[in-house]
């Protein structure tokens, strides 16, 4: 695969047009802050991952009420920060909310600069319009970039590939190109509202870094009893992903991620189709991708205050 270089335990790929080389597996930040993962274990997972070659660190301002960022910040002390490409996500849609959340993330992560900051949960058609409003979040990101608080800008979403395409279109009307885009990429996705079929080709065309997530959907995909964890990771690695972000809440699951890399070989079309045939029936209605078909993954819908206020000029339209 173009841009893929091996080392003893990890593959490295180029992150779109940024030129950055990052580990093909990224460590998901949500899991290290879960209640059944104590802080000592969370820090151990992060540091062991880095020691063995994982460089891409995923996180979000809202993960576990800030606990995930706090733990990662502690793990990145003692020069571990110098070894990673650090990413977090911001929920704020207004410039004020985004700027405030970004500063909180910087404090929790104990860094002066975050390598990649992404607009989180772009799942509604109005979201990109809010982000690119003159009083919107992207204005805060651009100012933060100029101030040296972040290096690259992306967006994430898990709901609908057409919202992703719409977001790319809205960005283009403002003359803006994202550095990265994050989305669900898994063995079920190919059969229902597929990000791999609809969004990935456009990102390849624009040379935007592709970040895959929900390769197992927090284990939900595995309940279909159609595929193994290693097959899930191999499928996502076989796509033109820069990084496959996977949740790791134990040393055993960390070992599984390295095993997937160790055993990965690029798959031909026949091998891909054979794997997808195993998931075709289970994946046909989105049953095992509830982030597409329900609201249970929509944290911003449950916490609309995170998004910040609409611009005053728009609020005034309803004041008649």
């Amino acid at each position: 695969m173009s841009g893929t270089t091996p080392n003893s335990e990890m593959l490295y790929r180029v992150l779109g047009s940024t030129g950055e080389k990052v580990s093909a597996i990224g460590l998901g930040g949500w899991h290290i802050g879960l209640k059944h993962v104590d802080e000592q274990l969370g820090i151990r997972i992060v540091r062991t991952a880095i020691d063995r070659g994982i460089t891409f660190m995923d996180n979000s301002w809202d993960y576990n009420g800030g606990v995930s960022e706090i733990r990662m910040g502690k793990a990145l002390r003692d020069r571990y920060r110098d070894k990673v490409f650090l990413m977090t996500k911001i929920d704020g849609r207004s410039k004020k909310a985004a700027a405030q959340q970004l500063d909180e993330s910087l404090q929790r992560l104990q860094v002066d600069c975050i390598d990649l900051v992404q607009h989180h949960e772009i799942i509604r058609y109005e979201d990109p319009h809010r982000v690119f409003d003159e009083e919107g979040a992207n204005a805060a990101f651009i100012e933060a970039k100029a101030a040296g608080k972040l290096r690259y800008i992306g967006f994430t979403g898990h709901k609908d590939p057409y919202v992703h395409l719409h977001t790319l279109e809205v960005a283009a009307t403002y003359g803006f190109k994202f550095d990265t885009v994050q989305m669900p990429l898994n063995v079920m996705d190919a059969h229902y509202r597929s990000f791999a079929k609809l969004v990935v080709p456009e990102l390849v065309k624009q040379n935007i870094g592709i970040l895959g997530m929900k390769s197992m959907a927090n284990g939900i995909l595995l309940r279909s009893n159609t595929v193994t964890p290693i097959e899930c990771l191999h499928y996502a690695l076989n796509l033109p992903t820069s990084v496959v972000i996977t949740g790791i809440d134990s040393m055993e699951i960390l070992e599984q991620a390295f095993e997937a890399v160790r055993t990965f070989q690029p798959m031909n079309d026949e091998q891909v189709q054979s794997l997808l045939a195993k998931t075709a029936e289970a994946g046909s209605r989105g049953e095992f991708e509830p982030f597409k078909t329900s609201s249970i993954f929509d944290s911003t819908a449950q916490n609309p205050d995170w998004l910040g206020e609409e611009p005053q000029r728009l609020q005034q339209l309803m004041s008649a």
Side-chain angles (χ1 to χ4, degrees):
M1 187 173 295
S2 177
T4 302
T5 56
N7 92 337
S8 57
E9 287 204 275
M10 185 49 55
L11 297 170
Y12 297 90
R13 295 174 173 177
V14 177
L15 186 64
S17 60
T18 70
E20 302 281 349
K21 281 195 174 180
V22 289
S23 56
I25 292 288
L27 188 143
W30 184 62
H31 286 73
I32 65 167
L34 293 174
K35 291 181 179 179
H36 70 270
V37 180
D38 63 46
E39 181 172 276
Q40 186 176 9
L41 175 58
I43 292 172
R44 183 183 172 207
I45 288 170
V46 173
R47 290 193 167 187
T48 303
I50 297 169
D51 288 339
R52 294 179 64 180
I54 291 178
T55 63
F56 192 96
M57 298 289 120
D58 160 274
N59 223 304
S60 178
W61 171 84
D62 66 47
Y63 283 169
N64 301 297
V67 170
S68 288
E69 286 188 330
I70 290 169
R71 289 183 179 179
M72 187 163 284
K74 291 179 178 179
L76 294 181
R77 292 174 182 169
D78 306 323
R79 301 192 66 81
Y80 274 88
R81 170 65 183 99
D82 300 337
K83 302 176 181 180
V84 303
F85 186 92
L86 181 60
M87 179 268 278
T88 199
K89 314 177 198 80
I90 301 300
D91 295 301
R93 300 292 187 257
S94 71
K95 182 179 179 180
K96 178 181 178 181
Q100 179 179 334
Q101 291 169 13
L102 177 59
D103 284 342
E104 290 175 5
S105 289
L106 287 162
Q107 290 173 1
R108 293 170 181 163
L109 293 166
Q110 302 182 42
V111 298
D112 297 322
C113 178
I114 300 168
D115 295 300
L116 169 63
V117 178
Q118 300 194 103
H119 300 287
H120 193 208
E121 278 193 21
I122 303 298
I123 57 177
R124 313 160 190 85
Y125 278 94
E126 68 267 24
D127 283 338
H129 295 282
R130 294 189 69 180
V131 162
F132 284 101
D133 188 272
E134 62 185 17
E135 298 176 41
N138 212 54
F141 281 18
I142 290 171
E143 286 187 6
K145 183 177 181 179
K149 295 180 178 181
L150 64 88
R151 298 173 63 214
Y152 302 110
I153 297 171
F155 78 90
T156 84
H158 56 252
K159 187 65 68 180
D160 191 321
Y162 289 104
V163 175
H164 269 54
L165 294 173
H166 176 59
T167 301
L168 293 171
E169 291 171 356
V170 172
T173 66
Y174 284 88
F176 186 85
K177 179 187 173 184
F178 287 103
D179 297 302
T180 60
V181 175
Q182 185 168 328
M183 74 211 89
L185 292 171
N186 60 65
V187 291
M188 299 289 182
D189 167 76
H191 309 297
Y192 184 83
R193 249 159 50 191
S194 177
F195 286 89
K197 291 180 178 178
L198 294 168
V199 181
V200 165
E202 183 61 29
L203 300 179
V204 170
K205 179 181 176 183
Q206 295 192 35
N207 196 20
I208 293 173
I210 300 171
L211 306 179
M213 62 174 170
K214 296 182 173 30
S215 58
M216 290 173 255
N218 200 31
I220 296 171
L221 266 66
L222 303 178
R223 297 177 194 174
S224 68
N225 297 315
T226 59
V227 284
T228 66
I230 297 295
E231 285 177 322
C232 289
L233 290 170
H234 281 177
Y235 174 80
L237 286 167
N238 195 65
L239 292 168
T241 44
S242 297
V243 184
V244 175
I245 298 163
T246 187
I248 298 171
D249 60 2
S250 70
M251 299 305 290
E252 292 76 17
I253 297 298
L254 178 61
E255 190 62 43
Q256 176 180 275
F258 280 101
E259 176 68 8
V261 170
R262 188 185 70 80
T263 57
F264 174 70
Q265 293 291 333
M267 301 160 65
N268 60 36
D269 187 61
E270 183 179 350
Q271 291 170 313
V272 171
Q273 294 308 315
S274 177
L275 180 56
L276 290 179
K278 295 165 65 173
T279 62
E281 183 177 352
S284 63
R285 296 184 303 276
E287 178 184 356
F288 293 96
E289 293 187 283
F291 41 86
K292 293 180 180 177
T293 58
S294 76
S295 63
I296 63 170
F297 280 73
D298 303 351
S299 56
T300 52
Q302 299 165 33
N303 299 273
D305 54 303
W306 292 351
L307 301 178
E309 293 186 345
E310 293 276 9
Q312 284 295 316
R313 72 177 193 283
L314 294 180
Q315 293 186 49
Q316 289 169 1
L317 296 175
M318 301 298 292
S319 62

